[in-house]
Amino acid sequence: MDVQAILESVAASAGSDELVFPTTTDMALKVQRVLDDPDCSIDQLAKLVQADPLLAARVVAVANSATYNRSGRAIADVRNAVSRLGFNTLRVLAAAVVVRQMEGMARTPGHRELAVHLWHHTAHVAALAQVIARRFTHVDPDTTFFAGIIHEVGAFYLISRAVKYPGLLEAEHGALLAWEEGGAALVGRAVLKRLGAPAPVMEAIEGMWQGYLAMPPQSLADTLLLADCLAPLESPLSQLAGKGREGTEARIDIALDDKTLSSMLEESAAEVDSLIGALQS
């Protein structure tokens, strides 16, 4: 199996296909139900939207479109995007996402399991990144959280397309090495461009793909990389590529004492629980 050729084909398709992901329908339906509640708040809606990578990316992209961004001030977080769009537009957007997802869900139990595992990894990275931003690197926490939520959209897209390539995601250990060695950037870049990811977020995720973590970490890219290294759950595609940590805990000297690191992990774990609750409510 020529995995590199498959990844190039998937990346090319992202430029022309309607993007369909395996985890979005349930969340979009939940957003619609919350919108029917006259007492729902912007914070409540933003929390739901940011629990799903595709929906979050679409909401921010639409908020930055010429129709809604008359001031020319770009938005790079979900809460401000929801506020700018308003509830009626969000309702239409969520409905459109639901309709498109119905025909493109991951079609095998194995692929669905991978998508769920990937989402849990994404949630941990996003929550950790937000805590690190607030307490250590001092970049904007909301933008950081959004970047963490969408940093694996290329992997979600690959899972959604894998039915066309039998055996791709069921291959032996190490078969997806091409994913770690440029494939993630190739596909991810194409998907993020199609989704209209804001420039600061795109640059940060590019920094993640390059893999250089400055010490001490300062930038948005550093924040995401550090969160990815510390996240207790890694990407299942990294495991398929033979680059997984095999459950070992990452230990990085980042000039934090054990107490500070422990409290950061506890705070992020609470946020992950909240995100999972949003999905399951």
Side-chain angles (χ1 to χ4, degrees):
M1 178 181 294
D2 189 341
V3 176
Q4 181 62 35
I6 290 173
L7 295 178
E8 290 173 1
S9 176
V10 170
S13 72
S16 57
D17 289 352
E18 181 72 21
L19 296 181
V20 177
F21 289 73
T23 59
T24 302
T25 302
D26 287 347
M27 185 50 60
L29 289 170
K30 286 182 175 67
V31 167
Q32 289 186 308
R33 288 199 295 270
V34 170
L35 284 166
D36 289 334
D37 181 354
D39 296 323
C40 72
S41 67
I42 288 176
D43 286 336
Q44 186 179 6
L45 279 170
K47 194 175 192 64
L48 281 173
V49 170
Q50 69 191 12
D52 182 85
L54 178 59
L55 189 57
R58 290 230 186 263
V59 166
V60 172
V62 172
N64 284 323
S65 67
T67 301
Y68 292 96
N69 186 17
R70 300 296 177 84
S71 68
R73 184 178 64 85
I75 284 174
D77 69 277
V78 171
R79 189 188 185 284
N80 281 317
V82 169
S83 179
R84 177 179 285 179
L85 291 177
F87 288 6
N88 288 336
T89 298
L90 187 59
R91 185 191 305 277
V92 172
L93 188 57
V97 168
V98 169
V99 171
R100 289 299 297 138
Q101 299 317 100
M102 291 300 183
E103 63 187 64
M105 298 287 283
R107 293 181 175 91
T108 73
H111 292 174
R112 286 192 290 272
E113 183 178 351
L114 278 175
V116 170
H117 186 168
L118 181 62
W119 184 86
H120 280 270
H121 161 74
T122 298
H124 278 283
V125 171
L128 260 170
Q130 187 179 53
V131 174
I132 293 168
R134 283 200 301 257
R135 299 178 56 179
F136 195 66
T137 58
H138 306 298
V139 294
D140 181 68
D142 292 330
T143 299
T144 302
F145 191 90
F146 173 64
I149 282 292
I150 69 168
H151 83 280
E152 290 280 13
V153 289
F156 281 111
Y157 184 63
L158 180 68
I159 293 171
S160 74
R161 300 281 298 181
V163 70
K164 292 187 62 177
Y165 308 100
L168 175 65
L169 301 182
E170 292 79 25
E172 66 274 10
H173 193 68
L176 268 184
L177 185 60
W179 177 256
E180 290 289 308
E181 296 182 344
L186 178 69
V187 176
R189 190 177 294 119
V191 176
L192 287 167
K193 181 179 179 180
R194 184 66 186 275
L195 290 174
V201 172
M202 189 72 201
E203 290 169 7
I205 296 175
E206 288 276 3
M208 287 191 76
W209 293 327
Q210 293 170 12
Y212 176 72
L213 175 60
M215 290 295 179
Q218 297 178 340
S219 67
L220 178 54
D222 293 337
T223 304
L224 293 172
L225 272 167
L226 181 56
D228 188 58
C229 290
L230 293 174
L233 295 178
E234 59 191 331
S235 165
L237 297 195
S238 293
Q239 293 174 327
L240 286 173
K243 295 289 188 177
R245 300 195 303 264
E246 302 296 341
T248 60
E249 182 180 353
R251 295 187 177 277
I252 301 176
D253 181 8
I254 54 171
L256 289 176
D257 57 44
D258 289 342
K259 183 177 180 180
T260 301
L261 181 57
S262 177
S263 67
M264 283 171 48
L265 293 173
E266 289 176 4
E267 186 177 344
S268 68
E271 184 61 34
V272 170
D273 288 343
S274 177
L275 282 174
I276 293 172
L279 280 175
Q280 295 175 341
S281 63

